[in-house]
Amino acid sequence: MAIATQTPASPFLRRVIAADAAVSGAAGLLQLSAAEPLSRLLAIDAGWLRGAGVVLMFWLAFLGWVLSRRTIGATATWTIIGVNFAWVAASVLVLVEGAITPNSLGLAFVLAQAAAVAVFAELQFFGLRRQQRG
């Protein structure tokens, strides 16, 4: 019978999650602290911006908790990847469904955020695979 052991998080996976936390925290703080000016600039309701900022602060707290662990397990990593892809899907959905109707700059803002999050999810997937291979 094999004994299951947890291997320490790969440095690559830990760095990618830390970068996700840094970018998410910066975006969340921006959207919380400058919701009104951003709203005028992007033609996105300030309430949507603040709401996204609050979500990002909770996300930052979760990522910080994950990073504080000695090991970053597959379950935590798959959760991070799944939430990141859900963010991408939600970003596209609010545009397609017309929940928000940003101007061109606002559209670029939403799509750029979604693209960055998709890249983080992909890098986290590769980091998990690298960690599992040892």
Side-chain angles (χ1 to χ4, degrees):
M1 172 160 57
I3 297 173
T5 59
Q6 290 187 330
T7 57
S10 77
F12 178 78
L13 178 59
R14 191 170 287 281
R15 282 192 301 270
V16 171
I17 293 172
D20 189 349
V23 170
S24 296
L29 284 174
L30 175 68
Q31 290 173 205
L32 283 171
S33 65
E36 293 299 329
L38 280 174
S39 178
R40 289 188 295 276
L41 184 65
L42 306 173
I44 299 173
D45 182 72
W48 277 94
L49 293 167
R50 279 190 206 95
V54 168
V55 169
L56 288 170
M57 291 297 99
F58 280 106
W59 182 240
L60 174 62
F62 175 71
L63 293 177
W65 176 80
V66 169
L67 288 167
S68 74
R69 311 287 95 193
R70 180 182 168 280
T71 61
I72 300 175
T75 301
T77 305
W78 279 116
T79 300
I80 292 167
I81 293 166
V83 171
N84 276 336
F85 277 128
W87 182 277
V88 173
S91 297
V92 172
L93 190 61
V94 297
L95 294 170
V96 170
E97 292 294 319
I100 62 172
T101 53
N103 59 23
S104 296
L105 187 57
L107 178 65
F109 178 82
V110 172
L111 293 177
Q113 260 192 7
V117 171
V119 168
F120 279 129
E122 188 71 20
L123 292 172
Q124 289 153 353
F125 173 76
F126 287 121
L128 176 61
R129 287 190 56 188
R130 180 183 286 183
Q131 177 174 291
Q132 290 173 333
R133 279 188 240 141

Short mmCIF file of all heavy atoms in Angstrom, two decimals, residues 78-104:
data_model
loop_
_atom_site.label_atom_id
_atom_site.label_comp_id
_atom_site.label_asym_id
_atom_site.label_seq_id
_atom_site.Cartn_x
_atom_site.Cartn_y
_atom_site.Cartn_z
N TRP A 78 -7.16 23.40 -8.75
CA TRP A 78 -8.31 23.25 -9.67
C TRP A 78 -9.41 24.26 -9.33
O TRP A 78 -10.09 24.77 -10.23
CB TRP A 78 -8.86 21.83 -9.63
CG TRP A 78 -8.07 20.88 -10.47
CD1 TRP A 78 -7.36 19.80 -10.04
CD2 TRP A 78 -7.90 20.93 -11.89
NE1 TRP A 78 -6.75 19.19 -11.11
CE2 TRP A 78 -7.06 19.85 -12.26
CE3 TRP A 78 -8.36 21.79 -12.89
CZ2 TRP A 78 -6.69 19.60 -13.57
CZ3 TRP A 78 -7.98 21.54 -14.20
CH2 TRP A 78 -7.16 20.46 -14.54
N THR A 79 -9.57 24.58 -8.04
CA THR A 79 -10.55 25.60 -7.65
C THR A 79 -10.16 26.95 -8.23
O THR A 79 -10.99 27.67 -8.79
CB THR A 79 -10.65 25.68 -6.11
OG1 THR A 79 -11.08 24.40 -5.62
CG2 THR A 79 -11.62 26.77 -5.67
N ILE A 80 -8.89 27.29 -8.12
CA ILE A 80 -8.41 28.56 -8.67
C ILE A 80 -8.62 28.61 -10.18
O ILE A 80 -9.13 29.60 -10.72
CB ILE A 80 -6.92 28.76 -8.30
CG1 ILE A 80 -6.77 28.98 -6.80
CG2 ILE A 80 -6.32 29.93 -9.08
CD1 ILE A 80 -5.34 28.89 -6.29
N ILE A 81 -8.26 27.53 -10.86
CA ILE A 81 -8.43 27.48 -12.32
C ILE A 81 -9.91 27.60 -12.68
O ILE A 81 -10.28 28.37 -13.58
CB ILE A 81 -7.83 26.18 -12.88
CG1 ILE A 81 -6.31 26.18 -12.72
CG2 ILE A 81 -8.22 25.97 -14.34
CD1 ILE A 81 -5.65 24.81 -12.92
N GLY A 82 -10.77 26.88 -11.97
CA GLY A 82 -12.20 26.93 -12.25
C GLY A 82 -12.81 28.30 -12.03
O GLY A 82 -13.60 28.79 -12.84
N VAL A 83 -12.43 28.94 -10.92
CA VAL A 83 -12.95 30.29 -10.65
C VAL A 83 -12.44 31.27 -11.69
O VAL A 83 -13.18 32.15 -12.15
CB VAL A 83 -12.60 30.73 -9.20
CG1 VAL A 83 -12.93 32.20 -8.99
CG2 VAL A 83 -13.33 29.86 -8.19
N ASN A 84 -11.19 31.12 -12.09
CA ASN A 84 -10.67 32.02 -13.13
C ASN A 84 -11.44 31.85 -14.44
O ASN A 84 -11.80 32.84 -15.08
CB ASN A 84 -9.17 31.79 -13.34
CG ASN A 84 -8.33 32.57 -12.35
OD1 ASN A 84 -8.76 33.58 -11.81
ND2 ASN A 84 -7.12 32.11 -12.12
N PHE A 85 -11.71 30.61 -14.84
CA PHE A 85 -12.49 30.41 -16.07
C PHE A 85 -13.93 30.90 -15.91
O PHE A 85 -14.53 31.39 -16.87
CB PHE A 85 -12.42 28.96 -16.54
CG PHE A 85 -11.18 28.67 -17.34
CD1 PHE A 85 -10.36 27.60 -17.01
CD2 PHE A 85 -10.82 29.46 -18.42
CE1 PHE A 85 -9.21 27.33 -17.73
CE2 PHE A 85 -9.66 29.20 -19.15
CZ PHE A 85 -8.87 28.14 -18.81
N ALA A 86 -14.49 30.78 -14.71
CA ALA A 86 -15.83 31.32 -14.46
C ALA A 86 -15.82 32.85 -14.62
O ALA A 86 -16.78 33.43 -15.15
CB ALA A 86 -16.31 30.92 -13.06
N TRP A 87 -14.74 33.50 -14.16
CA TRP A 87 -14.63 34.96 -14.32
C TRP A 87 -14.61 35.32 -15.81
O TRP A 87 -15.27 36.27 -16.24
CB TRP A 87 -13.37 35.47 -13.63
CG TRP A 87 -13.20 36.96 -13.71
CD1 TRP A 87 -12.66 37.67 -14.74
CD2 TRP A 87 -13.60 37.92 -12.75
NE1 TRP A 87 -12.69 39.02 -14.47
CE2 TRP A 87 -13.27 39.20 -13.25
CE3 TRP A 87 -14.21 37.83 -11.49
CZ2 TRP A 87 -13.52 40.37 -12.54
CZ3 TRP A 87 -14.45 39.00 -10.80
CH2 TRP A 87 -14.11 40.26 -11.33
N VAL A 88 -13.85 34.57 -16.59
CA VAL A 88 -13.78 34.82 -18.03
C VAL A 88 -15.17 34.66 -18.65
O VAL A 88 -15.62 35.52 -19.41
CB VAL A 88 -12.76 33.87 -18.71
CG1 VAL A 88 -12.82 34.01 -20.22
CG2 VAL A 88 -11.35 34.15 -18.20
N ALA A 89 -15.85 33.57 -18.31
CA ALA A 89 -17.19 33.32 -18.86
C ALA A 89 -18.16 34.42 -18.44
O ALA A 89 -18.95 34.91 -19.27
CB ALA A 89 -17.69 31.96 -18.40
N ALA A 90 -18.10 34.84 -17.19
CA ALA A 90 -18.99 35.90 -16.71
C ALA A 90 -18.70 37.23 -17.40
O ALA A 90 -19.62 37.98 -17.71
CB ALA A 90 -18.86 36.05 -15.19
N SER A 91 -17.44 37.49 -17.66
CA SER A 91 -17.06 38.73 -18.35
C SER A 91 -17.68 38.77 -19.75
O SER A 91 -18.20 39.81 -20.18
CB SER A 91 -15.53 38.84 -18.46
OG SER A 91 -14.95 38.93 -17.19
N VAL A 92 -17.60 37.66 -20.44
CA VAL A 92 -18.18 37.59 -21.79
C VAL A 92 -19.70 37.64 -21.70
O VAL A 92 -20.36 38.33 -22.48
CB VAL A 92 -17.69 36.32 -22.52
CG1 VAL A 92 -18.42 36.13 -23.84
CG2 VAL A 92 -16.17 36.39 -22.74
N LEU A 93 -20.26 36.93 -20.73
CA LEU A 93 -21.71 36.86 -20.60
C LEU A 93 -22.35 38.22 -20.33
O LEU A 93 -23.38 38.55 -20.94
CB LEU A 93 -22.09 35.88 -19.49
CG LEU A 93 -23.56 35.50 -19.38
CD1 LEU A 93 -24.04 34.84 -20.67
CD2 LEU A 93 -23.78 34.59 -18.19
N VAL A 94 -21.74 39.04 -19.46
CA VAL A 94 -22.34 40.35 -19.18
C VAL A 94 -22.33 41.24 -20.42
O VAL A 94 -23.20 42.09 -20.58
CB VAL A 94 -21.68 41.08 -17.98
CG1 VAL A 94 -21.87 40.31 -16.70
CG2 VAL A 94 -20.23 41.41 -18.23
N LEU A 95 -21.37 41.00 -21.31
CA LEU A 95 -21.33 41.77 -22.55
C LEU A 95 -22.36 41.24 -23.55
O LEU A 95 -23.13 42.01 -24.13
CB LEU A 95 -19.93 41.71 -23.17
CG LEU A 95 -18.81 42.38 -22.38
CD1 LEU A 95 -17.45 42.04 -22.97
CD2 LEU A 95 -19.02 43.90 -22.32
N VAL A 96 -22.40 39.94 -23.72
CA VAL A 96 -23.30 39.32 -24.69
C VAL A 96 -24.76 39.53 -24.30
O VAL A 96 -25.60 39.82 -25.16
CB VAL A 96 -22.98 37.81 -24.85
CG1 VAL A 96 -24.03 37.10 -25.66
CG2 VAL A 96 -21.61 37.64 -25.48
N GLU A 97 -25.06 39.39 -23.03
CA GLU A 97 -26.43 39.53 -22.55
C GLU A 97 -26.86 40.99 -22.40
O GLU A 97 -28.02 41.26 -22.14
CB GLU A 97 -26.60 38.80 -21.20
CG GLU A 97 -26.50 37.31 -21.32
CD GLU A 97 -27.64 36.70 -22.12
OE1 GLU A 97 -28.80 37.15 -21.97
OE2 GLU A 97 -27.36 35.79 -22.92
N GLY A 98 -25.93 41.90 -22.54
CA GLY A 98 -26.27 43.32 -22.44
C GLY A 98 -26.44 43.82 -21.02
O GLY A 98 -27.03 44.88 -20.81
N ALA A 99 -25.94 43.07 -20.04
CA ALA A 99 -26.03 43.52 -18.66
C ALA A 99 -25.25 44.80 -18.46
O ALA A 99 -25.62 45.65 -17.64
CB ALA A 99 -25.52 42.43 -17.71
N ILE A 100 -24.17 44.94 -19.21
CA ILE A 100 -23.43 46.20 -19.26
C ILE A 100 -23.26 46.56 -20.73
O ILE A 100 -23.18 45.69 -21.59
CB ILE A 100 -22.06 46.14 -18.54
CG1 ILE A 100 -21.13 45.12 -19.19
CG2 ILE A 100 -22.23 45.85 -17.05
CD1 ILE A 100 -19.71 45.14 -18.65
N THR A 101 -23.25 47.85 -20.99
CA THR A 101 -23.05 48.33 -22.37
C THR A 101 -21.94 49.38 -22.37
O THR A 101 -22.20 50.57 -22.50
CB THR A 101 -24.36 48.91 -22.95
OG1 THR A 101 -24.85 49.90 -22.04
CG2 THR A 101 -25.40 47.84 -23.15
N PRO A 102 -20.72 48.91 -22.23
CA PRO A 102 -19.60 49.86 -22.15
C PRO A 102 -19.31 50.49 -23.50
O PRO A 102 -19.72 49.99 -24.55
CB PRO A 102 -18.44 48.97 -21.71
CG PRO A 102 -18.78 47.62 -22.23
CD PRO A 102 -20.28 47.53 -22.16
N ASN A 103 -18.56 51.59 -23.44
CA ASN A 103 -18.06 52.17 -24.68
C ASN A 103 -16.87 51.33 -25.16
O ASN A 103 -16.56 50.29 -24.57
CB ASN A 103 -17.68 53.65 -24.46
CG ASN A 103 -16.62 53.84 -23.38
OD1 ASN A 103 -15.85 52.93 -23.06
ND2 ASN A 103 -16.59 55.03 -22.80
N SER A 104 -16.19 51.76 -26.18
CA SER A 104 -15.08 50.98 -26.74
C SER A 104 -13.97 50.76 -25.72
O SER A 104 -13.41 49.65 -25.63
CB SER A 104 -14.51 51.67 -27.97
OG SER A 104 -15.48 51.73 -28.98
#
